Amino acid sequence: MRPNEPLLYAATSANLYNFAGNADFDRHPELFRTILSNSSKAFNDLFDFSIDDVSLIDEKHVFRDLKTSPRIFISFHTGSYYALPAWLLKHGHDVIVLSDTQSVKSGDFNGVTELYRNRYQNNCHVELINVEKQGAIFKVIKRIKAGAIVIAYIDGNKGIGGQTMQNENMLTLDFLKGKVKVRKGMVYLSCLTGVPVQLVLSHEEDGASCLACCGESFSAEGEDRDVFAGKVLQAIMHQFGHHVSKYYTQWANWPYVHHWSLIDAFTAGESAEDLQWDINGQWMLHLSHCCPLKLNDKYYVFDRTRYSLFLLDEQYIGLFSYKSTPAERVQLAARIIESDPAMTAELLSWRVISHL
């Protein structure tokens, strides 16, 4: 296991619980491993030319007509998430992927243009443009007018990059059971250029990879750009919510979605499947928000609702361990309350116990 994987697992578990209401914590380790495996495969698909085997779902012939009727594509890191740029490169398009400082520096797309030109013998081109750099919008508009196709992954797994939650270019949107912050610049591009916005999603089903245009394209047609941005992006988040609920192990962003979310929106005890038990008729034990971890040979508990860690003495591991029965957890909590005032105070501050 890589050094940061325990924290990634804890964040994934918290996000599955908070956003999807998934309280089947015993299965979270398995889901986490599947999510990481799917994400790794999806990234490698870009370099393995897996696009040759992808099924295209495009009832409105959006892809076929791109030369004469371009789109600004919005997508997410789900399924074989680079199938979209791969398809465009395979068919000779000039592709812009809107990105942030950290993603551009990662160099994930280095050499991809040459790779696809050699494979498909065309004049395709792909470039990541850092939208956090001053003047980037003018460069993108110029390229759109020259025929480039724009892609914006609005769940970039680095979070919101250099932008803050209070940035005026961020919208607060409903997503599943939570709220997320999303840049609205890519929709402004549609207003400025007249190029419609189109949601495209990838997923795997029955061993086959699919790339689908989802729903109708969005066109401003003189509408106020802020109203248009809010309407379009909220509609897209609802569509993606349905998609990720169906293919939730295929979303690579589960370990990171809290980075671009309002985590204060989450409170303990809202789930109908909340793990809570009575202690001697005087206290309640609450464990749904608690995710036990071992980091650098020390034991911790990760708070799924506050997204924070607290250090745990080894003698209290049984209180949080999934191997302990409910009765064993209640007994240990009762002993702590009876004999350890300091630890009782800690458990109160962590919201693990409360007075009835």
Side-chain angles (χ1 to χ4, degrees):
M1 182 176 284
R2 293 172 294 182
N4 66 332
E5 276 195 18
L7 285 175
L8 285 180
Y9 159 69
T12 300
S13 178
N15 292 332
L16 286 168
Y17 176 61
N18 290 320
F19 282 95
N22 186 323
D24 188 1
F25 302 123
D26 289 342
R27 286 200 63 223
H28 283 191
E30 175 192 347
L31 292 177
F32 173 65
R33 289 190 293 270
T34 301
I35 289 164
L36 287 191
S37 175
N38 288 341
S39 177
S40 177
K41 177 184 178 300
F43 178 78
N44 291 328
D45 282 349
L46 179 65
F47 303 93
D48 293 342
F49 303 110
S50 297
I51 191 61
D52 291 338
D53 301 316
V54 168
S55 297
L56 196 63
I57 303 172
D58 184 17
E59 296 178 0
K60 303 294 184 181
H61 306 299
V62 170
F63 285 103
R64 185 194 67 184
D65 299 335
L66 279 176
K67 295 289 186 182
T68 56
S69 184
R71 293 292 189 273
I72 293 171
F73 289 118
I74 288 180
S75 194
F76 295 79
H77 291 85
T78 179
S80 184
Y81 49 76
Y82 284 150
L84 176 55
W87 190 96
L88 294 170
L89 292 171
K90 177 180 177 178
H91 291 84
H93 289 281
D94 180 16
V95 181
I96 295 170
V97 181
L98 302 185
S99 196
D100 59 19
T101 303
Q102 190 172 352
S103 296
V104 171
K105 286 181 177 179
S106 72
D108 286 350
F109 278 76
N110 289 350
V112 170
T113 293
E114 183 178 0
L115 191 69
Y116 275 72
R117 282 182 177 179
N118 291 337
R119 171 80 170 192
Y120 300 107
Q121 295 299 298
N122 61 32
N123 198 36
C124 67
H125 179 264
V126 62
E127 179 183 359
L128 269 65
I129 291 184
N130 183 358
V131 297
E132 294 174 349
K133 290 186 69 173
Q134 190 172 5
I137 187 74
F138 301 108
K139 180 178 181 181
V140 174
I141 291 173
K142 183 177 180 180
R143 292 278 297 280
I144 290 174
K145 290 180 177 179
I149 304 297
V150 173
I151 302 172
Y153 289 93
I154 61 176
D155 65 336
N157 64 15
K158 308 299 189 299
I160 59 170
Q163 302 197 44
T164 66
M165 289 292 187
Q166 290 74 40
N167 191 294
E168 63 181 7
N169 293 318
M170 308 289 287
L171 287 176
T172 301
L173 304 172
D174 295 327
F175 174 59
L176 297 176
K177 294 177 178 292
K179 293 185 180 295
V180 294
K181 302 291 283 190
V182 176
R183 293 185 181 97
K184 55 188 177 183
M186 77 290 292
V187 182
Y188 279 2
L189 280 174
S190 177
C191 297
L192 293 169
T193 62
V195 177
V197 172
Q198 176 67 54
L199 174 64
V200 173
L201 295 172
S202 176
H203 69 276
E204 305 276 335
E205 192 156 14
D206 298 326
S209 184
C210 302
L211 181 65
C213 278
C214 303
E216 301 286 341
S217 298
F218 299 93
S219 298
E221 298 177 350
E223 192 171 5
D224 175 84
R225 68 177 187 175
D226 286 310
V227 173
F228 179 64
K231 179 179 70 176
V232 169
L233 289 171
Q234 186 58 79
I236 284 173
M237 292 309 301
H238 281 317
Q239 285 180 278
F240 182 63
H242 290 301
H243 177 91
V244 81
S245 295
K246 186 175 182 180
Y247 305 107
Y248 62 94
T249 61
Q250 297 184 29
W251 190 30
N253 202 253
W254 277 121
Y256 311 100
V257 60
H258 58 288
H259 289 312
W260 47 290
S261 305
L262 299 180
I263 60 175
D264 290 344
F266 301 123
T267 55
E270 290 185 346
S271 172
E273 300 179 63
D274 195 28
L275 302 179
Q276 58 181 16
W277 298 280
D278 180 282
I279 307 172
N280 299 332
Q282 298 178 313
W283 300 79
M284 286 296 294
L285 178 63
H286 310 276
L287 293 175
S288 286
H289 64 294
C290 299
C291 180
L293 296 174
K294 189 175 183 181
L295 293 169
N296 300 321
D297 296 322
K298 293 183 179 180
Y299 293 96
Y300 295 86
V301 174
F302 182 86
D303 188 323
R304 289 187 176 97
T305 54
R306 292 178 175 172
Y307 291 82
S308 58
L309 282 173
F310 49 87
L311 186 64
L312 183 67
D313 191 290
E314 188 171 355
Q315 64 180 310
Y316 301 122
I317 294 171
L319 182 61
F320 302 95
S321 174
Y322 299 131
K323 296 179 181 179
S324 300
T325 65
E328 289 170 338
R329 293 179 178 188
V330 168
Q331 289 172 5
L332 179 53
R335 287 201 299 271
I336 292 170
I337 292 168
E338 182 179 350
S339 61
D340 193 336
M343 187 58 187
T344 300
E346 291 284 352
L347 295 179
L348 280 166
S349 70
W350 298 340
R351 300 173 301 132
V352 172
I353 59 173
S354 64
H355 291 283
L356 280 175

